[in-house]
Amino acid sequence: MSEVKVPFYGHVRQYQNLKAELDSAIENVLMSGVYTLGPVGKRFEGELAQYMGMKYALGLNSGTDALWLAFLALGIGKGDEVITTSNTFWATAESIWLVGATPVFVDCCPKTRNIDTTKIEEKITPRTKAIVPVHLYGQCADMKAVSAIAKKHNLLVVEDCAQAIGAAGDGFKIGEYSDAVGLSFITAKNLGTFGDSGAMVTNREDIVETVTKLRNHGSNKRSYHSVGWNSRLDEIHAAILSVKLKHIDEFNDARRARAKDYDEFLAGSGIKLPHALPGYRHVYHLYVIETPDRDGLQEFLKERGIIALTNYPVAIHQQEGFPFGAGDPNPVLPETELNAANCLSLPIYPELTREECKYVADNVLEWAKNR
Ligand SMILES: Cc1ncc(COP(=O)(O)O)c(C=O)c1O
């Protein structure tokens, strides 16, 4: 393989840019002697809730735990069906299976690749308990439509916002129309720590105490337990997240600027580009293009030192690990399967330069011209 000219991630660049702030925040935690469930985590939860414009935020081990514990606290469980999408990261469905419920997949919209809200109602049965829209690639699903359907059928709504902190819809914000929101802070996310962590945010006071207990071995009083789990956000990650949260809007603005560059450079290429809905704030966790010879393009870019990856080339219902008997393994999802076959994520991160974008786009154009 040729030398990497444009990596897929900018993790180290981001660390270098914020090194002084991050090193000092980490050192302060190390010197405090308190490493879990301490004041730094508490402060971060307050900052996060405020940023999201929501009442409560609870720091957790991961985005998967955020969804899973929200489902548990909301009483979603065995025998329930949960409507979601299949063109997402495995954890969206995994967290539904973890509570014993069954994911029911709705196809995605041909343009945005978010849940096709016109197809939700046909999947509702007497067992349907909740809808879990995923704000895929950094763009909000149509929450007004989801909420209208949920209200009509008396369903819970949990937003999988792992990819979209800082995004907003057309006249609505994340969390406004749902019972809970799950966030992931793995390194690659728009707000990412160095490793794993996540958070659940909600306006519902009644689930906060349950999740607070669940994340700490079912305990809110030392030595007294019910069955829970260990899903505490540790202080070092909270300190890192606190520093980065201050920069999230500028990170997202930089992603949006690079997406605009790609849009400009790739216009007229004949390749399907991301579709940003008017009035929405898309925060481009991923910049996903679609072409039938996706593998050919990926290989061509690799030869030119550009790392492009795929999100998600195997939809959930296409996975070999789909648990036997845990839902329909053969749903009819033509748009989801098309997306899986054709998707290619170009490098995008706040530290990517316009020149690097141009280099990537020039190579995509060269490939498209010579096909
Ligand atoms: C859409 C989506 N849902 C859920 C998750 C799970 O988050 P985590 O990896 O923090 O458990 C991720 C991220 O990995 C994701 O992208």
Side-chain angles (χ1 to χ4, degrees):
M1 190 188 129
S2 45
E3 181 207 345
V4 174
K5 294 203 174 100
V6 187
F8 191 73
Y9 297 116
H11 301 160
V12 178
R13 294 186 194 180
Q14 187 164 98
Y15 172 56
Q16 282 166 335
N17 289 346
L18 299 175
K19 192 169 185 316
E21 274 182 273
L22 287 167
D23 286 358
S24 138
I26 293 168
E27 192 182 345
N28 286 342
V29 172
L30 293 177
M31 291 305 293
S32 77
V34 179
Y35 305 133
T36 42
L37 294 183
V40 179
K42 191 107 207 112
R43 189 189 66 210
F44 170 66
E45 288 174 343
E47 292 163 353
L48 180 64
Q50 190 180 24
Y51 178 77
M52 302 284 296
M54 302 198 47
K55 287 193 188 148
Y56 311 99
L58 291 175
L60 302 166
N61 264 342
S62 68
T64 310
D65 283 14
L67 295 171
W68 173 48
L69 298 183
F71 298 153
L72 279 178
L74 289 164
I76 299 169
K78 210 165 183 300
D80 294 333
E81 290 177 356
V82 177
I83 289 178
T84 189
T85 41
S86 181
N87 60 322
T88 174
F89 182 62
W90 178 249
T92 309
E94 189 177 39
S95 52
I96 296 169
W97 282 311
L98 279 172
V99 296
T102 302
V104 173
F105 300 118
V106 168
D107 210 0
C108 63
C109 166
K111 283 186 172 164
T112 65
R113 295 314 190 190
N114 272 322
I115 191 165
D116 185 339
T117 54
T118 64
K119 297 193 171 140
I120 293 179
E121 279 194 290
E122 65 200 54
K123 297 281 174 109
I124 292 175
T125 74
R127 287 186 300 282
T128 308
K129 184 82 178 254
I131 307 176
V132 178
V134 180
H135 303 317
L136 196 72
Y137 305 151
Q139 178 160 239
C140 289
D142 181 351
M143 290 305 297
K144 283 185 188 164
V146 169
S147 160
I149 297 165
K151 280 208 177 90
K152 183 169 156 199
H153 297 272
N154 197 21
L155 303 174
L156 295 161
V157 179
V158 177
E159 290 169 79
D160 183 340
C161 185
Q163 304 188 354
I165 186 166
D170 179 14
F172 67 87
K173 62 186 185 60
I174 289 166
E176 191 174 338
Y177 291 126
S178 65
D179 296 280
V181 180
L183 296 166
S184 165
F185 304 130
I186 56 169
T187 317
K189 296 298 192 233
N190 292 33
L191 177 65
T193 185
F194 304 132
D196 281 295
S197 58
M200 185 205 73
V201 288
T202 182
N203 286 325
R204 281 188 53 167
E205 193 183 352
D206 60 322
I207 63 170
V208 171
E209 198 190 332
T210 315
V211 174
T212 306
K213 277 180 79 175
L214 285 169
R215 75 172 173 183
N216 191 26
H217 300 291
S219 174
N220 57 8
K221 187 172 169 206
R222 192 177 167 80
S223 305
Y224 292 85
H225 301 272
S226 53
V227 176
W229 190 249
N230 177 356
S231 186
R232 301 179 292 236
L233 171 67
D234 65 60
E235 294 281 279
I236 288 184
H237 287 305
I240 294 163
L241 291 165
S242 217
V243 168
K244 290 198 181 185
L245 185 62
K246 285 194 225 115
H247 300 277
I248 187 67
D249 287 339
E250 97 208 27
F251 291 161
N252 283 338
D253 286 345
R255 284 175 181 271
R256 284 163 59 77
R258 293 295 78 82
K260 207 163 159 236
D261 291 339
Y262 276 138
D263 287 348
E264 176 193 324
F265 299 143
L266 293 173
S269 63
I271 290 174
K272 187 167 183 279
L273 304 181
H275 182 84
L277 291 168
Y280 279 59
R281 179 174 160 82
H282 191 328
V283 293
Y284 292 96
H285 171 57
L286 294 165
Y287 188 93
V288 180
I289 61 175
E290 290 179 46
T291 177
D293 186 16
R294 179 266 312 284
D295 294 345
L297 175 56
Q298 186 177 24
E299 198 47 44
F300 180 87
L301 293 177
K302 200 166 150 197
E303 288 305 314
R304 301 298 175 94
I306 298 161
I307 308 301
L309 298 179
T310 47
N311 304 83
Y312 297 92
V314 187
I316 291 177
H317 69 284
Q318 299 173 316
Q319 295 279 348
E320 277 182 21
F322 193 99
F324 181 73
D328 178 2
N330 297 306
V332 180
L333 305 168
E335 286 298 333
T336 298
E337 292 184 8
L338 190 66
N339 183 222
N342 293 356
C343 63
L344 188 67
S345 309
L346 300 182
I348 192 158
Y349 35 90
E351 301 75 22
L352 189 76
T353 65
R354 181 171 158 90
E355 292 65 38
E356 286 172 317
C357 258
K358 176 95 170 70
Y359 177 70
V360 174
D362 283 348
N363 279 287
V364 173
L365 291 172
E366 186 185 328
W367 175 84
K369 202 171 69 196
N370 294 324
R371 279 178 70 226

XYZ file of all heavy atoms in Angstrom, residues 64-131:
523
model
N -23.834 2.100 23.574
C -24.649 0.880 23.636
C -25.359 0.809 24.983
O -26.563 0.555 25.058
C -23.744 -0.372 23.466
O -22.931 -0.175 22.327
C -24.566 -1.637 23.327
N -24.597 1.057 26.050
C -25.199 1.042 27.388
C -26.269 2.135 27.526
O -27.268 1.946 28.206
C -24.132 1.267 28.463
C -23.311 0.012 28.722
O -23.380 -0.925 27.899
O -22.594 -0.036 29.739
N -26.042 3.271 26.885
C -27.008 4.367 26.981
C -28.368 3.911 26.440
O -29.413 4.141 27.069
C -26.507 5.584 26.209
N -28.339 3.245 25.287
C -29.602 2.756 24.717
C -30.171 1.638 25.582
O -31.349 1.640 25.941
C -29.363 2.233 23.291
C -28.919 3.274 22.260
C -28.515 2.608 20.954
C -30.024 4.299 22.000
N -29.335 0.695 25.914
C -29.768 -0.482 26.680
C -30.386 -0.073 28.020
O -31.482 -0.520 28.379
C -28.549 -1.402 26.865
C -28.739 -2.567 27.749
C -29.770 -3.459 27.718
C -27.869 -2.975 28.806
N -29.594 -4.408 28.690
C -28.437 -4.141 29.368
C -26.670 -2.507 29.319
C -27.841 -4.819 30.429
C -26.069 -3.179 30.368
C -26.655 -4.323 30.918
N -29.682 0.777 28.767
C -30.194 1.159 30.091
C -31.439 2.040 29.970
O -32.348 1.954 30.808
C -29.100 1.851 30.918
C -27.860 0.983 31.218
C -26.875 1.743 32.106
C -28.221 -0.354 31.862
N -31.505 2.843 28.919
C -32.731 3.634 28.693
C -33.907 2.695 28.442
O -34.997 2.869 29.011
C -32.541 4.585 27.514
N -33.683 1.668 27.614
C -34.771 0.717 27.341
C -35.220 0.028 28.637
O -36.412 -0.100 28.899
C -34.333 -0.364 26.339
C -33.956 0.160 24.978
C -33.052 -0.543 24.180
C -34.497 1.327 24.480
C -32.694 -0.084 22.922
C -34.149 1.808 23.219
C -33.240 1.097 22.453
N -34.237 -0.401 29.432
C -34.576 -1.076 30.703
C -35.402 -0.146 31.588
O -36.434 -0.536 32.125
C -33.303 -1.464 31.459
C -32.578 -2.742 31.048
C -31.315 -2.914 31.904
C -33.470 -3.969 31.196
N -34.929 1.092 31.706
C -35.603 2.040 32.603
C -37.009 2.388 32.103
O -37.904 2.694 32.894
C -34.763 3.308 32.746
N -37.188 2.329 30.796
C -38.502 2.657 30.222
C -39.438 1.445 30.198
O -40.569 1.525 29.725
C -38.332 3.207 28.801
C -37.720 4.620 28.715
C -37.238 4.924 27.303
C -38.733 5.668 29.172
N -38.933 0.322 30.665
C -39.782 -0.868 30.750
C -39.951 -1.592 29.431
O -40.934 -2.320 29.227
N -39.007 -1.414 28.515
C -39.066 -2.151 27.245
C -38.395 -3.504 27.490
O -37.295 -3.567 28.043
C -38.332 -1.375 26.126
C -39.012 -0.017 25.928
C -38.288 -2.185 24.831
C -38.239 0.952 25.050
N -39.064 -4.578 27.100
C -38.492 -5.891 27.417
C -39.081 -7.006 26.594
O -39.577 -6.798 25.477
N -39.052 -8.182 27.169
C -39.455 -9.407 26.494
C -40.858 -9.278 25.887
O -41.770 -8.777 26.550
C -39.455 -10.547 27.514
C -39.143 -11.882 26.934
C -38.790 -12.863 28.061
C -38.396 -14.193 27.538
N -39.172 -15.003 26.795
N -40.983 -9.713 24.647
C -42.286 -9.683 23.989
C -42.562 -8.374 23.266
O -43.488 -8.288 22.459
N -41.763 -7.355 23.540
C -41.994 -6.059 22.882
C -41.288 -5.999 21.529
O -40.226 -6.586 21.348
C -41.444 -4.908 23.744
C -42.201 -4.760 25.048
O -43.390 -5.132 25.086
O -41.596 -4.286 26.030
N -41.875 -5.247 20.625
C -41.223 -4.957 19.348
C -40.781 -3.499 19.340
O -41.491 -2.615 19.851
C -42.201 -5.202 18.185
C -42.492 -6.679 17.984
C -43.515 -6.964 16.894
O -44.089 -6.004 16.320
O -43.767 -8.156 16.628
N -39.611 -3.280 18.773
C -39.063 -1.925 18.715
C -38.718 -1.612 17.266
O -37.932 -2.330 16.633
C -37.797 -1.811 19.602
C -37.188 -0.429 19.470
C -38.139 -2.106 21.061
N -39.326 -0.576 16.759
C -39.112 -0.209 15.352
C -37.844 0.622 15.201
O -37.636 1.605 15.919
C -40.352 0.540 14.831
C -41.491 -0.483 14.691
C -40.063 1.248 13.513
C -42.801 0.088 14.232
N -36.996 0.190 14.283
C -35.765 0.934 14.028
C -35.310 0.668 12.592
O -36.085 0.180 11.774
C -34.685 0.576 15.079
O -33.582 1.469 14.921
C -34.194 -0.862 14.950
N -34.049 0.999 12.316
C -33.514 0.781 10.970
C -32.418 -0.278 11.014
O -31.837 -0.544 12.054
C -32.913 2.088 10.410
O -32.206 2.749 11.455
C -33.982 2.983 9.850
N -32.119 -0.828 9.823
C -31.105 -1.874 9.728
C -29.790 -1.333 9.190
O -28.751 -1.974 9.325
C -31.640 -2.991 8.825
O -30.726 -4.035 8.717
N -29.840 -0.137 8.577
C -28.588 0.463 8.065
C -27.989 1.356 9.149
O -27.979 2.574 9.063
C -28.841 1.262 6.778
C -29.811 2.398 6.980
O -30.781 2.268 7.727
N -29.566 3.517 6.347
N -27.528 0.713 10.182
C -26.954 1.429 11.317
C -25.889 0.553 11.917
O -25.671 -0.576 11.471
C -28.051 1.763 12.361
O -27.447 2.334 13.534
C -28.844 0.546 12.798
N -25.211 1.073 12.936
C -24.240 0.238 13.633
C -24.990 -0.835 14.420
O -26.071 -0.588 14.959
C -23.359 1.112 14.550
C -22.306 0.327 15.256
C -21.323 -0.341 14.539
C -22.301 0.225 16.640
C -20.359 -1.097 15.189
C -21.330 -0.519 17.297
C -20.363 -1.186 16.568
N -24.401 -1.989 14.461
C -24.953 -3.185 15.107
C -25.569 -2.901 16.480
O -26.591 -3.458 16.871
C -23.818 -4.205 15.211
C -24.099 -5.504 15.872
C -23.603 -5.941 17.072
C -24.916 -6.580 15.371
N -24.050 -7.211 17.343
C -24.860 -7.626 16.314
C -25.698 -6.766 14.232
C -25.528 -8.827 16.157
C -26.378 -7.958 14.069
C -26.295 -8.968 15.014
N -24.946 -1.993 17.249
C -25.364 -1.750 18.636
C -26.796 -1.248 18.748
O -27.433 -1.422 19.789
C -24.428 -0.759 19.311
N -27.315 -0.612 17.705
C -28.702 -0.127 17.781
C -29.631 -1.314 18.032
O -30.493 -1.279 18.925
C -29.107 0.596 16.475
O -28.129 1.565 16.146
C -30.464 1.250 16.601
N -29.437 -2.374 17.245
C -30.286 -3.565 17.415
C -29.837 -4.395 18.615
O -30.659 -4.953 19.345
C -30.253 -4.413 16.150
N -28.522 -4.442 18.809
C -27.982 -5.238 19.920
C -28.587 -4.808 21.262
O -28.948 -5.634 22.090
C -26.478 -5.022 19.935
C -25.682 -5.894 20.866
C -24.193 -5.597 20.694
O -23.816 -4.410 20.529
O -23.413 -6.530 20.723
N -28.720 -3.492 21.448
C -29.251 -3.007 22.721
C -30.734 -3.381 22.866
O -31.224 -3.563 23.988
C -29.061 -1.491 22.835
O -29.582 -0.856 21.692
N -31.420 -3.514 21.742
C -32.831 -3.947 21.786
C -32.890 -5.433 22.168
O -33.665 -5.846 23.035
C -33.515 -3.684 20.421
C -33.543 -2.174 20.134
C -34.929 -4.282 20.391
C -33.952 -1.798 18.711
N -32.012 -6.221 21.547
C -31.967 -7.643 21.905
C -31.580 -7.826 23.367
O -32.069 -8.730 24.029
C -30.951 -8.391 21.019
C -31.460 -8.699 19.651
C -32.656 -9.278 19.323
C -30.780 -8.468 18.408
N -32.760 -9.406 17.961
C -31.620 -8.929 17.367
C -29.540 -7.927 18.061
C -31.274 -8.861 16.029
C -29.195 -7.867 16.722
C -30.053 -8.321 15.712
N -30.686 -6.973 23.855
C -30.208 -7.131 25.237
C -31.328 -7.059 26.272
O -31.223 -7.661 27.329
C -29.139 -6.075 25.569
C -27.725 -6.379 25.073
C -26.805 -5.173 25.280
C -27.145 -7.599 25.782
N -32.396 -6.313 25.971
C -33.517 -6.268 26.935
C -34.564 -7.333 26.619
O -35.618 -7.376 27.242
C -34.191 -4.865 27.007
C -33.218 -3.819 27.533
C -34.792 -4.446 25.670
N -34.282 -8.162 25.614
C -35.212 -9.245 25.293
C -36.292 -8.845 24.314
O -37.215 -9.624 24.047
N -36.203 -7.630 23.780
C -37.203 -7.175 22.802
C -36.728 -7.526 21.383
O -35.609 -8.010 21.196
C -37.432 -5.680 22.943
N -37.573 -7.270 20.413
C -37.285 -7.638 19.028
C -37.217 -6.396 18.147
O -38.202 -5.646 18.070
C -38.423 -8.550 18.494
O -38.505 -9.681 19.347
C -38.146 -9.001 17.069
N -36.106 -6.176 17.475
C -36.078 -5.051 16.533
C -36.884 -5.369 15.279
O -36.806 -6.474 14.751
C -34.582 -4.894 16.191
C -33.928 -6.158 16.589
C -34.823 -6.891 17.551
N -37.650 -4.400 14.848
C -38.418 -4.545 13.601
C -37.913 -3.442 12.674
O -37.984 -2.259 13.013
C -39.934 -4.382 13.878
C -40.722 -4.361 12.577
C -40.419 -5.510 14.782
N -37.371 -3.865 11.523
C -36.676 -2.894 10.690
C -37.575 -2.236 9.649
O -38.324 -2.918 8.943
C -35.491 -3.566 9.987
C -34.492 -4.131 10.957
C -34.230 -5.498 10.991
C -33.831 -3.302 11.848
C -33.318 -6.024 11.882
C -32.909 -3.824 12.750
C -32.655 -5.188 12.766
N -37.429 -0.918 9.566
C -38.114 -0.126 8.545
C -37.035 0.305 7.553
O -35.900 0.592 7.945
C -38.783 1.103 9.206
C -39.247 2.118 8.169
C -39.955 0.655 10.070
N -37.375 0.357 6.286
C -36.389 0.735 5.268
C -35.976 2.202 5.446
O -36.642 2.979 6.140
C -36.973 0.516 3.868
C -35.881 0.184 2.847
O -34.691 0.129 3.227
O -36.228 -0.014 1.667
N -34.869 2.547 4.791
C -34.394 3.924 4.922
C -34.807 4.762 3.716
O -35.138 4.238 2.652
C -32.878 3.951 5.099
S -31.947 3.303 3.714
N -34.763 6.051 3.945
C -35.132 7.016 2.918
C -34.036 7.034 1.838
O -32.850 7.048 2.162
C -35.258 8.350 3.633
S -35.314 9.763 2.600
N -34.418 7.025 0.549
C -33.399 6.979 -0.516
C -32.435 8.158 -0.479
O -31.290 8.025 -0.877
C -34.219 7.018 -1.804
C -35.626 6.785 -1.424
C -35.783 7.029 0.040
N -32.892 9.291 0.010
C -32.018 10.466 -0.011
C -31.142 10.565 1.235
O -29.925 10.601 1.147
C -32.857 11.734 -0.142
C -33.351 11.972 -1.553
C -34.036 13.306 -1.634
C -34.369 13.642 -3.087
N -35.344 14.724 -3.157
N -31.765 10.632 2.392
C -30.984 10.911 3.612
C -30.412 9.653 4.250
O -29.521 9.728 5.071
C -31.858 11.595 4.677
O -32.874 10.657 5.071
C -32.486 12.865 4.159
N -30.966 8.518 3.934
C -30.601 7.226 4.540
C -31.050 7.112 5.991
O -30.669 6.189 6.700
C -29.103 6.929 4.405
C -28.637 6.740 2.953
C -29.571 5.854 2.206
N -29.126 5.425 0.891
C -29.928 4.801 0.023
N -31.189 4.564 0.318
N -29.492 4.411 -1.146
N -31.840 8.086 6.455
C -32.480 7.944 7.760
C -33.784 7.160 7.612
O -34.234 6.906 6.489
C -32.754 9.330 8.365
C -31.568 9.822 9.169
O -30.911 9.031 9.856
N -31.261 11.108 9.087
N -34.391 6.820 8.733
C -35.610 6.005 8.705
C -36.661 6.643 7.793
O -36.880 7.862 7.838
C -36.163 5.783 10.138
C -37.263 4.725 10.151
C -36.640 7.089 10.768
C -37.595 4.197 11.549
N -37.284 5.830 6.957
C -38.329 6.318 6.063
C -39.624 6.349 6.879
O -40.272 5.314 7.083
C -38.456 5.391 4.852
C -39.441 5.934 3.828
O -40.300 6.769 4.202
O -39.372 5.512 2.663
N -39.968 7.538 7.339
C -41.099 7.646 8.271
C -42.432 7.288 7.607
O -43.390 6.966 8.307
C -41.177 9.059 8.894
O -41.194 10.006 7.836
C -39.992 9.323 9.803
N -42.476 7.307 6.283
C -43.729 6.938 5.610
C -43.971 5.425 5.706
O -45.046 4.938 5.384
C -43.728 7.342 4.116
O -42.699 6.593 3.442
C -43.483 8.825 3.926
N -42.942 4.690 6.121
C -43.084 3.223 6.165
C -43.156 2.684 7.601
O -43.111 1.473 7.803
C -41.907 2.584 5.440
C -41.880 2.956 3.967
C -40.930 2.103 3.181
C -41.115 2.388 1.696
N -39.854 2.438 0.984
N -43.244 3.583 8.566
C -43.252 3.104 9.959
C -44.589 2.450 10.315
O -44.630 1.350 10.878
C -42.946 4.264 10.945
C -41.498 4.743 10.765
C -43.180 3.832 12.393
C -41.100 5.904 11.665
N -45.679 3.123 9.958
C -46.985 2.658 10.471
C -47.331 1.239 10.029
O -47.939 0.488 10.789
C -48.083 3.650 10.084
C -48.083 4.831 11.048
C -49.332 5.674 10.961
O -49.483 6.349 9.925
O -50.127 5.669 11.923
N -46.876 0.871 8.821
C -47.202 -0.483 8.352
C -46.511 -1.567 9.185
O -46.875 -2.739 9.109
C -46.863 -0.646 6.851
C -45.401 -0.539 6.532
C -45.111 -0.203 5.059
O -45.643 0.812 4.546
O -44.364 -0.958 4.439
N -45.521 -1.175 9.989
C -44.798 -2.169 10.810
C -45.313 -2.208 12.253
O -44.820 -2.984 13.069
C -43.298 -1.859 10.830
C -42.606 -1.925 9.477
C -42.313 -3.371 9.078
C -41.745 -3.466 7.666
N -40.375 -3.824 7.573
N -46.274 -1.350 12.558
C -46.774 -1.318 13.940
C -47.754 -2.465 14.183
O -48.644 -2.726 13.365
C -47.429 0.055 14.242
C -46.334 1.132 14.239
C -48.149 0.042 15.597
C -46.849 2.547 14.410
N -47.549 -3.174 15.294
C -48.451 -4.260 15.690
C -48.856 -4.003 17.145
O -48.320 -3.088 17.781
C -47.728 -5.638 15.628
O -46.831 -5.728 16.751
C -46.963 -5.846 14.339
N -49.752 -4.830 17.691
C -50.109 -4.627 19.107
C -48.905 -4.780 20.043
O -48.934 -4.343 21.198
C -51.149 -5.725 19.364
C -51.698 -6.060 18.010
C -50.590 -5.853 17.028
N -47.837 -5.422 19.568
C -46.660 -5.617 20.436
C -45.658 -4.463 20.351
O -44.695 -4.401 21.099
C -45.949 -6.923 20.076
C -46.699 -8.171 20.514
C -45.881 -9.423 20.271
N -45.559 -9.598 18.864
C -46.400 -10.066 17.934
N -47.631 -10.406 18.294
N -46.039 -10.186 16.681
N -45.868 -3.548 19.417
C -44.896 -2.455 19.260
C -44.882 -1.580 20.502
O -45.926 -1.109 20.967
C -45.260 -1.588 18.025
O -45.412 -2.450 16.914
C -44.166 -0.571 17.745
N -43.670 -1.350 21.016
C -43.568 -0.567 22.252
C -42.831 0.757 22.022
O -43.045 1.726 22.747
C -42.800 -1.424 23.283
C -42.646 -0.866 24.666
C -43.864 -1.101 25.519
C -43.698 -0.579 26.919
N -43.504 -1.584 27.919
N -41.952 0.765 21.045
C -41.123 1.970 20.903
C -40.612 2.126 19.480
O -40.589 1.174 18.702
C -39.925 1.886 21.853
N -40.190 3.357 19.186
C -39.492 3.649 17.921
C -38.106 4.165 18.303
O -37.964 5.002 19.201
C -40.226 4.713 17.080
C -41.702 4.332 16.874
C -39.529 4.895 15.719
C -42.522 5.398 16.133
